[in-house]
Amino acid sequence: MEQVLCIRRALFDEIGAFQGVTTDLAAYIPRILEARHTLFVPRAQAEQDPSYKQIIPYVLIRQGERLLHYVRGKGSGEKRLVALGSIGIGGHINDRDQTLFGAGLDFYHDAVQRELHEELRMDGTFETEVVGLINDDLTPVGQVHLGVVHLCELTDQHVSKGEPCITDLRFLTFPELLERRAQMETWAQLCLDFIGPRLTARP
């Protein structure tokens, strides 16, 4: 039975529940990733129990002025998002990640790398930076998940899909992404609305 990393909804409410995207990393990241606040819950239970928030790394991959976009295929682990566009790579952190990479906070970023290298093919390490958190309590999927938004900067590295559930993988400009916004999952829409212009602007 798959066990996924969660926090209790009560902790999220205590820190300050929000709708959309926040970049107040100092208020949330140390507490939601602290070992004493996290627990592993059977995924089947966590997906239906809003008293838990599953912690999901959501990695935006930028190359120049373009962001990586794909469509979730039928083999996606989250059936409620099949056929929707996304700009975030990532997924659940499992108890086996803790076994592989150690206990406590240290295992989180290693687990993110594991997830990225499962979903994508690229030589080397995906260097990421946490840039925000995303929450959507208006949809059944969003009510039981909390996204940690990472940004990965690529130069000339070639990226291809690592799993068949990722389809139509391509880098798109911000205007091209906006044209597809209505066909995207809610988290992708929120990222585009709140931080997309900043992420797709040249330094």
Side-chain angles (χ1 to χ4, degrees):
M1 182 181 297
E2 183 180 8
Q3 305 277 328
V4 295
L5 186 71
C6 298
I7 59 169
R8 298 188 186 279
R9 171 73 199 214
L11 175 66
F12 181 55
D13 291 335
E14 177 186 320
I15 301 171
F18 63 90
Q19 173 67 26
V21 174
T22 181
T23 56
D24 186 5
L25 304 180
Y28 293 89
I29 294 298
R31 297 191 67 187
I32 68 170
L33 295 181
E34 189 175 354
R36 68 188 181 96
H37 289 148
T38 60
L39 68 163
F40 290 98
V41 177
R43 182 172 178 180
Q45 175 186 351
E47 293 288 1
Q48 304 298 326
D49 188 346
S51 69
Y52 297 106
K53 279 283 192 182
Q54 300 167 69
I55 302 299
I56 306 293
Y58 196 74
V59 184
L60 311 181
I61 299 180
R62 176 168 68 177
Q63 193 168 56
E65 296 180 327
R66 302 178 300 160
L67 287 175
L68 193 65
H69 173 273
Y70 67 98
V71 177
R72 294 186 184 270
K74 294 180 180 179
S76 174
E78 178 50 81
K79 302 305 179 187
R80 293 169 290 189
L81 301 181
V82 168
L84 295 178
S86 179
I87 57 173
I89 296 289
H92 296 82
I93 295 179
N94 306 122
D95 56 341
R96 68 185 175 97
D97 288 319
Q98 193 171 46
T99 302
L100 287 171
F101 305 124
L105 296 176
D106 293 340
F107 83 93
Y108 173 78
H109 288 288
D110 289 321
V112 172
Q113 289 296 318
R114 186 270 303 162
E115 184 70 28
L116 285 168
H117 281 282
E118 284 184 0
E119 298 202 11
L120 297 176
R121 293 287 177 264
M122 187 192 79
D123 294 333
T125 301
F126 292 89
E127 298 294 340
T128 75
E129 173 191 4
V130 178
V131 295
L133 292 100
I134 189 164
N135 184 65
D136 173 31
D137 285 331
L138 302 181
T139 65
V141 177
Q143 287 171 3
V144 293
H145 295 89
L146 179 64
V148 180
V149 184
H150 296 244
L151 176 63
C152 176
E153 298 272 10
L154 299 183
T155 52
D156 57 351
Q157 295 99 321
H158 176 70
V159 173
S160 60
K161 70 176 185 176
E163 294 186 344
C165 61
I166 292 177
T167 66
D168 197 23
L169 185 74
R170 66 178 75 179
F171 283 96
L172 297 174
T173 64
F174 188 58
E176 289 171 334
L177 291 168
L178 288 180
E179 290 178 2
R180 292 164 171 78
R181 184 186 182 283
Q183 289 75 47
M184 290 185 186
E185 64 194 20
T186 305
W187 279 15
Q189 293 179 350
L190 290 170
C191 281
L192 284 179
D193 295 345
F194 283 86
I195 54 181
R198 179 169 65 87
L199 294 183
T200 53
R202 284 193 177 278

